[in-house]
Amino acid sequence: MGGRDKQDLILPLMIAPLLLSGYSVAAAVDASMVGAVGALLKLIGTPLKVTAFVECWNEGEKLMFARIGLSGGRHLMQFVEPRRASPDARTDVKDMDNYRNATLDEDAESHQTLVVVDLRCNGSERLLAEAGQRLYLNYRWLLMDFSEGGAPLGIEHYLAVLQDLPALVSSEIFVMLEEDGQSIRFMQVYRVSQNSELLTEHYALWNATVPGDTEGEMIDLRTHKVTSVRRKDLHGHYLRASMVITNPDTLNHLTDYKDKHIDTITKVNYILTNCLVAYLGAEVNYTRVATWGYYNTTTGMWDGMIGELVHNTADLGASPLFFTTDRIAVIEYLAMTSETRSKFIFRSPKLSYTENVFVLPFDDKVWICVIAVIIVSSVLLLVTLWAEWRITNGDLDMPPAPPDSSTMAASLRDTLLMMYGASCQQGSAVLPRSCSARTITMLTFTVLMFLYASYSANIVALLQSPSTKIQTLEDLLASRLKFGVHDTVFNRHYFTHATEPTRRALYEQKIRRPYGPDAFIALEQGIDRIRHGLYAFHVEQGVGYKVISETYQEDEKCGLQEIQYLQVIDPYYAIQKNSSYKEMVKIGLFRLNEHGIQYRENDKLYTKKPTCSGGGGKFVPVSLVDVEPAVWIILWGSGLASGFFLTERLYFRFLRRKVRQLVRRWQHN
């Protein structure tokens, strides 16, 4: 706790003995006024601290006023004393103003502070003039002017004081009016805009039980407890709204729901802004800009819609914009009015583009079992053939050659080749003769037939299946898809300014082209490329799906996937920073959402993802990519066979002759 806070806490305890001792006070601050202010604090409820700029009060008046904190037990009192440079010299006016403003700015709980200003004191009007935004942001102000011996002052006196001050619609400025000696009326003063007339509203009336006593009854005169709801009628004031128009023809179709895919977010929020203005009892003037607004590092200024909000040429941002950290400091985000996002949309590629479909029909364990069946069957058949020849010709160490070429010899390579051919549903030129060997062959052929049928059925299904492997931005970057981006202002900004490694790599490798134009293209062109497949197009969802629904066949609407690129949440409606209309505009936007108006407009202008109703109606032809593994097997097999052929040819034509010559020479020697 700082020194100032400790001083404020100790102050009520220091002055308590003086109050109890009966210290005499002046008539300007009497018990009735103290009781009325205490009742006002109780009615408001939230102020926990009272900061008083009452330099002209004597100690008796301050002690009397401090009874508010002592009696309530929950209000911290702070009297801001004149600052002195030395015991005998007062600081200059400018230094005093800075000291007062610094006192207010140091208050971390400004929304729970009531600032009391006595207009009798010198410098009080200058304090109000220097307050600026503090008059309508956070602080509550209580103005009083009880001149001794004079007639009670009317509301006109306070209006004259506040005539040129920014007592805007969000301000909480109370004035005290004394009536018939035992009643005090609290009124609030505000204006709709800086140049409009001051308006007043009755807040409360305090009636003393006994004249001159602190006890009394407080009557609440408010029509509604929430200030922003109570003042939502702006009396026909013209609000300034800025909206983003990227296509000039949009101005002709803001409300007729035509060309819904062009400037969709502006059309939705144009209607919502008109409803909002009607709720506030105001009018609206629109200005047109080409961009949402981005910071220019060269000029150090914001352009577009944000620039108009920052430079006070617009009150409302009628085209919602993305929530980014650099914008938080200059504009105020209020509510999400359009649930739309921009994503990469693409048709799921065939499974063969991401996987080898020839190994997918069976699980790894099934493949192991198939290989085991072939090997075990070959070995069993070989053992059976050996046993057959041993029984028939017991005196022979090696089985003789079969009597004809159709009889299988006891050779491992022959049995393996026959079983491998059986797994591929190919016949064999040789067959075993014994019953046991033929039984093994028949069972093996039957088992492999079922496996082959299952494999073939799965292959047909897999060739018609889309791939689900592309699920993240990293998968999209590693895929063989081509890329395009809808040519809009915000897409160009966010793609060119991406810093995250994956997103930067996607822009550098897929979007940015060293030779020729970048992949920023028109909407219709990008949607048409999605139709032909193997193409990912970054576009606003509702806009892209509107064109897809109107141009695609039913079977072409199946297998559409989305992957988000922009690291932002849905667009938010924005207004000026520290705007006095903040609370009432926020409440108005929430009411539009609660009453279904926001949902209706978004549903009418944004197209949802089309449903797949013709997924099985079109057969996908097999392309060369689908049989790529088989082609590679043929090529490798052909190369291997050619290698063996050349090796054998070389051996029999050159090496074999030389070997024979060497053998003959050795025999002669």
Side-chain angles (χ1 to χ4, degrees):
M1 182 180 293
R4 183 183 299 276
D5 294 332
K6 292 180 179 179
Q7 179 181 357
D8 296 337
L9 288 171
I10 296 173
L11 179 60
L13 300 178
M14 294 176 60
I15 63 177
L18 296 175
L19 290 173
L20 297 175
S21 63
Y23 196 101
S24 61
V25 297
V29 180
D30 58 9
S32 297
M33 188 204 75
V34 173
V37 175
L40 175 65
L41 291 174
K42 186 176 181 181
L43 179 62
I44 296 175
T46 55
L48 301 178
K49 180 179 179 181
V50 178
T51 300
F53 291 91
V54 287
E55 302 173 9
C56 60
W57 287 10
N58 57 39
E59 295 301 321
E61 292 174 319
K62 293 179 182 179
L63 294 176
M64 175 64 74
F65 194 76
R67 287 185 177 180
I68 299 173
L70 291 176
S71 60
R74 63 189 186 94
H75 300 299
L76 180 64
M77 304 297 299
Q78 177 187 18
F79 292 95
V80 181
E81 299 294 336
R83 186 179 181 186
R84 300 179 183 276
S86 64
D88 300 323
R90 186 180 297 272
T91 58
D92 57 17
V93 174
K94 183 176 181 180
D95 190 26
M96 186 60 195
D97 292 339
N98 293 335
Y99 172 67
R100 290 167 172 169
N101 294 333
T103 302
L104 293 176
D105 294 337
E106 289 175 0
D107 193 348
E109 303 294 337
S110 57
H111 63 287
Q112 295 187 351
T113 299
L114 177 69
V115 181
V116 179
V117 179
D118 191 341
L119 298 180
R120 297 179 304 153
C121 302
N122 293 331
S124 59
E125 295 186 9
R126 188 170 61 253
L127 168 65
L128 296 175
E130 293 290 334
Q133 291 184 348
R134 302 179 189 88
L135 282 176
Y136 61 90
L137 293 178
N138 298 330
Y139 296 97
R140 291 178 171 86
W141 296 77
L142 175 60
L143 307 184
M144 59 178 63
D145 191 348
F146 293 117
S147 301
E148 298 182 34
L153 299 175
I155 189 63
E156 294 78 10
H157 171 67
Y158 295 99
L159 295 179
V161 173
L162 298 172
Q163 183 61 41
D164 299 324
L165 300 181
L168 300 181
V169 69
S170 62
S171 63
E172 295 277 0
I173 301 177
F174 299 89
V175 298
M176 295 179 62
L177 301 176
E178 187 177 5
E179 298 180 354
D180 59 37
Q182 63 179 12
S183 298
I184 295 179
R185 182 179 298 272
F186 291 95
M187 299 184 68
Q188 285 193 321
V189 181
Y190 71 97
R191 52 165 40 104
V192 174
S193 67
Q194 183 62 47
N195 300 323
S196 63
E197 296 294 329
L198 288 170
L199 303 175
T200 61
E201 59 182 4
H202 296 277
Y203 193 87
L205 178 65
W206 185 83
N207 295 316
T209 305
V210 178
D213 194 6
T214 58
E215 298 296 328
E217 178 187 7
M218 177 66 84
I219 302 174
D220 190 352
L221 302 178
R222 294 174 294 178
T223 57
H224 199 285
K225 292 185 178 181
V226 180
T227 303
S228 54
V229 176
R230 193 168 64 247
R231 300 177 183 175
K232 73 180 183 66
D233 185 4
L234 298 183
H235 303 282
H237 171 65
Y238 273 89
L239 294 173
R240 302 164 299 173
S242 176
M243 61 180 179
V244 180
I245 300 294
T246 61
N247 189 322
D249 191 53
T250 298
L251 296 173
N252 301 321
H253 304 290
L254 288 172
T255 57
D256 58 7
Y257 302 104
K258 292 183 178 179
D259 296 332
K260 296 189 294 183
H261 60 290
I262 301 176
D263 289 327
T264 310
I265 195 168
T266 295
K267 292 177 180 179
V268 170
N269 287 274
Y270 174 80
I271 299 175
L272 295 181
T273 301
N274 288 338
C275 295
L276 171 66
V277 170
Y279 166 77
L280 297 177
E283 302 291 339
V284 61
N285 285 328
Y286 287 97
T287 57
R288 167 189 167 187
V289 292
T291 68
W292 280 263
Y294 306 98
Y295 184 72
N296 190 323
T297 55
T298 304
T299 62
M301 300 177 66
W302 291 84
D303 58 10
M305 187 180 72
I306 296 181
E308 293 201 344
L309 293 174
V310 170
H311 301 138
N312 194 27
T313 57
D315 301 310
L316 309 175
S319 295
L321 65 171
F322 291 128
F323 204 110
T324 59
T325 54
D326 57 337
R327 292 172 172 173
I328 295 177
V330 294
I331 60 175
E332 197 83 46
Y333 290 96
L334 295 186
M336 183 178 63
T337 56
S338 296
E339 298 182 7
T340 178
R341 295 189 180 184
S342 295
K343 295 183 178 182
F344 276 108
I345 300 178
F346 58 96
R347 295 185 66 185
S348 300
K350 291 193 293 186
L351 191 60
S352 55
Y353 277 84
T354 58
E355 302 284 351
N356 182 0
V357 295
F358 290 93
V359 298
L360 292 179
F362 294 153
D363 187 70
D364 293 341
K365 295 180 180 179
V366 177
W367 282 115
I368 294 174
C369 292
V370 171
I371 296 174
V373 167
I374 295 174
I375 295 175
V376 171
S377 300
S378 301
V379 172
L380 287 176
L381 183 59
L382 177 63
V383 171
T384 304
L385 293 175
W386 270 91
E388 177 184 336
W389 288 110
R390 294 279 296 181
I391 294 173
T392 306
N393 304 287
D395 56 341
L396 297 178
D397 294 332
M398 295 294 294
D404 57 77
S405 60
S406 64
T407 303
M408 178 177 291
S411 172
L412 179 61
R413 62 182 180 182
D414 289 341
T415 57
L416 280 174
L417 184 60
M418 187 187 75
M419 292 304 173
Y420 180 76
S423 65
C424 299
Q425 292 297 291
Q426 302 298 317
S428 176
V430 292
L431 292 173
R433 296 178 60 187
S434 66
C435 181
S436 58
R438 291 190 175 188
T439 301
I440 294 174
T441 304
M442 181 181 65
L443 291 176
T444 304
F445 270 67
T446 303
V447 171
L448 294 177
M449 178 193 68
F450 286 116
L451 289 174
Y452 183 85
S454 301
Y455 182 85
S456 301
N458 280 332
I459 282 290
V460 174
L462 291 173
L463 289 176
Q464 300 295 311
S465 301
S467 173
T468 58
K469 187 176 181 180
I470 303 177
Q471 298 292 336
T472 64
L473 205 60
E474 289 76 10
D475 298 335
L476 197 62
L477 177 61
S479 69
R480 293 185 286 180
L481 272 63
K482 295 183 179 180
F483 289 79
V485 180
H486 186 200
D487 192 4
T488 60
V489 176
F490 68 88
N491 273 336
R492 283 187 175 271
H493 174 79
Y494 286 107
F495 271 88
T496 55
H497 290 79
T499 56
E500 194 269 331
T502 302
R503 287 166 173 79
R504 190 65 188 176
L506 193 147
Y507 171 72
E508 294 290 344
Q509 300 176 20
K510 304 291 186 177
I511 307 300
R512 184 173 177 269
R513 297 171 180 170
Y515 305 100
D518 293 342
F520 293 96
I521 59 177
L523 174 64
E524 290 76 10
Q525 184 180 1
I527 297 300
D528 185 64
R529 291 184 181 181
I530 295 177
R531 180 209 300 266
H532 295 91
L534 300 181
Y535 192 83
F537 186 57
H538 190 270
V539 65
E540 193 176 355
Q541 288 176 282
V543 173
Y545 287 140
K546 192 261 183 184
V547 180
I548 289 175
S549 299
E550 294 177 349
T551 58
Y552 280 25
Q553 299 293 333
E554 290 302 319
D555 58 279
E556 294 174 338
K557 299 176 183 177
C558 300
L560 293 175
Q561 282 188 255
E562 306 168 349
I563 293 181
Q564 185 167 351
Y565 174 86
L566 301 180
Q567 295 177 296
V568 292
I569 60 177
D570 292 334
Y572 265 64
Y573 201 95
I575 62 172
Q576 280 187 20
K577 193 73 172 179
N578 297 327
S579 172
S580 62
Y581 305 113
K582 173 183 175 181
E583 290 300 323
M584 55 184 60
V585 171
K586 182 187 293 186
I587 292 175
L589 292 174
F590 285 171
R591 289 177 68 91
L592 292 178
N593 184 28
E594 293 168 358
H595 293 174
I597 298 176
Q598 175 180 319
Y599 175 81
R600 181 196 67 187
E601 297 304 327
N602 279 278
D603 187 63
K604 294 182 71 174
L605 283 165
Y606 278 106
T607 304
K608 293 181 174 59
K609 184 177 181 179
T611 58
C612 175
S613 58
K618 185 176 181 180
F619 181 82
V620 180
V622 178
S623 62
L624 189 61
V625 177
D626 299 323
V627 295
E628 181 181 355
V631 173
W632 280 110
I633 291 176
I634 294 174
L635 293 177
W636 278 100
S638 300
L640 190 62
S642 300
F644 282 127
F645 171 75
L646 293 176
T647 302
E648 291 177 351
R649 184 68 175 173
L650 179 64
Y651 172 76
F652 284 102
R653 185 167 184 175
F654 300 103
L655 297 181
R656 186 178 182 183
R657 183 184 305 172
K658 291 182 178 181
V659 170
R660 287 180 178 178
Q661 291 176 356
L662 291 175
V663 171
R664 289 174 183 174
R665 290 177 183 177
W666 180 76
Q667 290 177 350
H668 286 298
N669 295 332

